[in-house]
Amino acid sequence: MRPTTKDLAVAAGVSLATVDRVLNGRPGVKQHTIEKVSEAIRKIGFERNISAANLAKQKTYTFLFLFPETGDEFLDELIFKIREVSQAFTADMISADVRRIDASDPHKVANCLAGLGNDEVDGVAVMAPETPPVRDAMNRLTERGIRAVSFLSGRPQNSDTDYVGIDNHAAGATSAHLMGRFIGPKKGSILVVTETMQARDSIERRLGFDAVMNRDYPDLHPLPSLETYGHQERTQLVVANAFSNNSDIVGAYVLSAEARTPVEAIIGMPGASDVVCIAHERTPFTESALKANQLDAIIAQNPGHLVRSAIRILRARCDSREPLASQEKIRIEILLKDNL
Amino acid sequence: MRPTTKDLAVAAGVSLATVDRVLNGRPGVKQHTIEKVSEAIRKIGFERNISAANLAKQKTYTFLFLFPETGDEFLDELIFKIREVSQAFTADMISADVRRIDASDPHKVANCLAGLGNDEVDGVAVMAPETPPVRDAMNRLTERGIRAVSFLSGRPQNSDTDYVGIDNHAAGATSAHLMGRFIGPKKGSILVVTETMQARDSIERRLGFDAVMNRDYPDLHPLPSLETYGHQERTQLVVANAFSNNSDIVGAYVLSAEARTPVEAIIGMPGASDVVCIAHERTPFTESALKANQLDAIIAQNPGHLVRSAIRILRARCDSREPLASQEKIRIEILLKDNL
DNA sequence: CAAATTTTGAGGTACGTACCTCAAAAAGAG
DNA sequence: CTCTTTTTGAGGTACGTACCTCAAAATTTG
């Protein structure tokens, strides 16, 4: 049988009250006694029964996903998953909600984070560009005892904040590898399109992509990144320009999660059916484009895993546990028609 | 606040004792009362606090993984993961163990299953070929209240037993797709190697592989499956024979989890560096072969996910809950050098 | 050495559920 | 209508932990 606090008290030669004081960091215990208890914990392998503790504390975990106001189908899918996962986690006394704010304004994000009360929320998953105000606000949250993770975007480099999402450099490298192999012996240029190169994920994907292209596929020339800014007409224009300026386009890589507009522009170009086209994230659109052979592969991260991972990490941090790293590494999925 | 049994009693207009009788299926309650309580459950959205219930019941989940005695590196990895995951799940009062038996003898497997006591084990994940004795033994286990899932091999087709593992038909199809694209415009034969075609997973992978090859890549001809029976000399022989009988081999697909022997035989053949080679499962060997460009892709299933999924499904079944299907579908991972 | 202070122990209640007993109420049988 | 049986209620204890109070013991201070 698993040892309880009672067993621990006996093993440490102290009373239950003292064990309680030590376990919950209450004052008025001699250093020597603390050590006696700590040693007994190791000796008998005591592990606090978190369920029982949460029951006694009436603890419920409340987590918040802070998402941008504007978003693509992938964001919708994430929000749907949060509701689904939240449902499934009620048994674990966890509830998760979504709040959407204008992520383009770092101060709004920071203000929102600053306005969160300790009684209101136990942890936040923030999806917003990494800017000093946001980083500061997240650090201040942590100081106040509210856990924070970076969700998909904006992993602070030199911070110890947890990050939930794929390794974007590796994702770009994987795209390049796949594209190089799919294109085969042909030579030519590669179109690279994104919503904005301001976003950290786009930058990293591009770097990974270029690294592999340069190293392994010298016959392929990635063109400078085209930015769509999310506007359909602009996308149409820059893609058409790129095709008319480069008659040798053999591949297209859409960096951003918003794939629909760029992909539709690309497949509308003459001769586009011979262009190997790779995009990110599984959405109703990318899925049907893959089935219709308009896309050759999708580089994806599983929305359900992302959401669950964020919640597991936040919960672990709330319990002062270390998350299981091997479980929380989000895999880069390669989707083809046959493994959708 | 989440409604408790007390709230439920008030809402149903009955006493706590009656609520308890209904919730735990104890006898001596009028049908009409049961319905009153059930309706109140729906009305106030009552959900049993499983942590509290398990605490009261002193319930701990004990799960067993039944694995073959002989196995490859992938099996070792699985066993390692079971220990790791078991550790992480102690907080949830779950413990998982491994028992290894001679899986080639269905009766030994069946006997082992039959010998499991209800007090000893709550659920079993069985990795053994699907044979009538095993299927029967699993059904009888279920009847005795011990949950069972098929792990990787031997999903009974017409049974409602849960299955943990990838869709092997889709995995074969994915391999074919990838191989077709990687080989490009060349024509030729494809070597297909496996430990044994007796195994259901090999059969299904082969079917999926052939389906896509026939449909999409008419210039590629998959050869009849070579069986190694796990013997190194035999492998060497059949592979060498295949190469000397077929001068146009452009691809090789290793179906089975044991990839080392076949892959080593293949890369030892003259001209093998031009052969696109795809194998299953990530192991130290396949990983290094991928990095060394000896393998072009690995089709994998994540051992950690497999183990966790099996445990989550068993736990859900023990609690008479439905597992979350979208979480438990094991994804077919495509591993390239860049997303290892 | 006594007084003040710190440290420890003993005991309680609570969380939400399970499971038990015993008595009271309701329903059915004759 | 009485007697038997079924159904229900009231109350208790327990699980492992948290958190509280009060007194006793140990230690430090003057």
Side-chain angles (χ1 to χ4, degrees), chain B residues 249-271:
Chain B
I249 291 179
V250 291
Y253 177 33
V254 180
L255 291 173
S256 51
E258 207 294 284
R260 171 171 224 135
T261 327
V263 170
E264 280 178 342
I266 290 163
I267 62 185
M269 294 292 123

Side-chain angles (χ1 to χ4, degrees), chain B residues 271-293:
Chain B
S273 58
D274 293 332
V275 171
V276 171
C277 192
I278 296 180
H280 275 270
E281 308 318 350
R282 177 183 193 155
T283 64
F285 170 74
T286 57
E287 201 174 308
S288 70
L290 191 66
K291 282 183 190 147
N293 294 318

Side-chain angles (χ1 to χ4, degrees), chain A:
Chain A
M1 212 46 228
R2 191 176 152 141
T4 70
T5 42
K6 227 173 225 168
D7 303 321
L8 181 55
V10 173
V14 299
S15 72
L16 245 160
T18 300
V19 161
D20 176 66
R21 290 186 185 105
V22 174
L23 283 181
N24 297 292
R26 285 183 241 282
V29 186
K30 275 205 293 186
Q31 189 56 39
H32 172 245
T33 312
I34 294 182
E35 277 154 20
K36 267 205 304 188
V37 174
S38 307
E39 204 191 330
I41 290 177
R42 269 198 309 282
K43 205 181 101 205
I44 68 170
F46 171 82
E47 212 171 329
R48 194 198 300 250
N49 182 333
I50 298 186
S51 299
N54 287 347
L55 178 60
K57 276 190 291 199
Q58 294 243 72
K59 170 109 196 110
T60 54
Y61 302 87
T62 311
F63 298 139
L64 185 65
F65 285 81
L66 215 58
F67 279 1
E69 244 165 21
T70 59
D72 41 41
E73 287 175 320
F74 183 58
L75 197 68
D76 296 340
E77 184 63 21
L78 282 171
I79 292 169
F80 176 80
K81 281 291 173 191
I82 290 171
R83 306 206 192 297
E84 185 183 88
V85 170
S86 182
Q87 191 86 23
F89 272 141
T90 49
D92 300 317
M93 310 305 278
I94 292 173
S95 81
D97 242 332
V98 185
R99 187 176 300 173
R100 306 190 62 168
I101 50 165
D102 183 357
S104 65
D105 182 349
H107 293 289
K108 280 197 184 153
V109 178
N111 280 342
C112 176
L113 290 175
L116 294 174
N118 282 57
D119 43 352
E120 190 184 351
V121 160
D122 299 292
V124 193
V126 181
M127 179 171 171
E130 176 214 359
T131 54
V134 171
R135 183 169 34 210
D136 287 355
M138 285 176 76
N139 286 339
R140 252 170 288 141
L141 265 188
T142 313
E143 284 160 18
R144 281 164 50 209
I146 298 181
R147 320 294 162 165
V149 303
S150 292
F151 195 78
L152 290 181
S153 59
R155 162 173 44 181
Q157 275 178 308
N158 51 351
S159 150
D160 53 357
T161 314
D162 292 300
Y163 167 75
V164 178
I166 53 172
D167 175 344
N168 284 306
H169 188 94
T174 304
S175 304
H177 189 140
L178 218 50
M179 182 163 288
R181 296 296 308 251
F182 280 9
I183 289 174
K186 282 194 282 185
K187 300 182 179 213
S189 304
I190 312 284
L191 200 65
V192 179
V193 191
T194 181
E195 195 169 340
T196 166
M197 282 304 278
Q198 304 282 51
R200 174 169 216 95
D201 48 1
S202 284
I203 299 171
E204 288 176 352
R205 287 172 188 175
R206 173 84 219 209
L207 286 172
F209 188 78
D210 288 351
V212 168
M213 275 293 164
N214 290 336
R215 189 190 67 201
D216 295 341
Y217 303 99
D219 289 344
L220 300 177
H221 300 290
L223 299 169
S225 308
L226 302 179
E227 295 179 278
T228 70
Y229 300 139
H231 298 321
Q232 191 166 2
E233 305 80 37
R234 187 189 152 89
T235 309
Q236 199 66 41
L237 193 72
V238 292
V239 168
N241 278 346
F243 267 82
S244 64
N245 293 339
N246 303 276
S247 54
D248 64 341
I249 291 179
V250 291
Y253 177 33
V254 180
L255 291 172
S256 50
E258 206 293 283
R260 174 172 222 134
T261 327
V263 171
E264 280 179 342
I266 290 163
I267 63 186
M269 294 292 123
S273 59
D274 293 331
V275 170
V276 171
C277 192
I278 295 181
H280 275 270
E281 309 315 350
R282 178 182 193 156
T283 64
F285 170 73
T286 56
E287 199 175 308
S288 70
L290 190 67
K291 282 184 190 147
N293 294 319
Q294 297 167 330
L295 275 177
D296 294 84
I298 300 172
I299 308 296
Q301 41 193 339
N302 189 296
H305 283 185
L306 288 168
V307 171
R308 279 188 294 270
S309 178
I311 290 178
R312 276 192 305 258
I313 290 176
L314 286 172
R315 182 179 178 346
R317 293 297 177 202
C318 284
D319 296 344
S320 304
R321 284 183 296 116
E322 203 57 35
L324 187 59
S326 69
Q327 179 174 14
E328 305 313 347
K329 178 139 191 274
I330 307 294
R331 305 262 351 147
I332 298 170
E333 292 182 19
I334 301 174
L335 301 180
L336 305 176
K337 248 198 304 193
D338 309 289
N339 67 334
L340 263 174

Side-chain angles (χ1 to χ4, degrees), chain B residues 205-243:
Chain B
R205 286 171 188 176
R206 173 86 220 207
L207 286 172
F209 188 79
D210 288 351
V212 168
M213 275 292 164
N214 290 337
R215 190 189 66 200
D216 294 342
Y217 304 98
D219 289 344
L220 299 177
H221 300 291
L223 299 170
S225 308
L226 302 180
E227 294 179 278
T228 70
Y229 300 140
H231 298 323
Q232 191 166 2
E233 306 79 37
R234 187 188 152 88
T235 308
Q236 199 65 42
L237 194 72
V238 293
V239 167
N241 277 347
F243 267 82

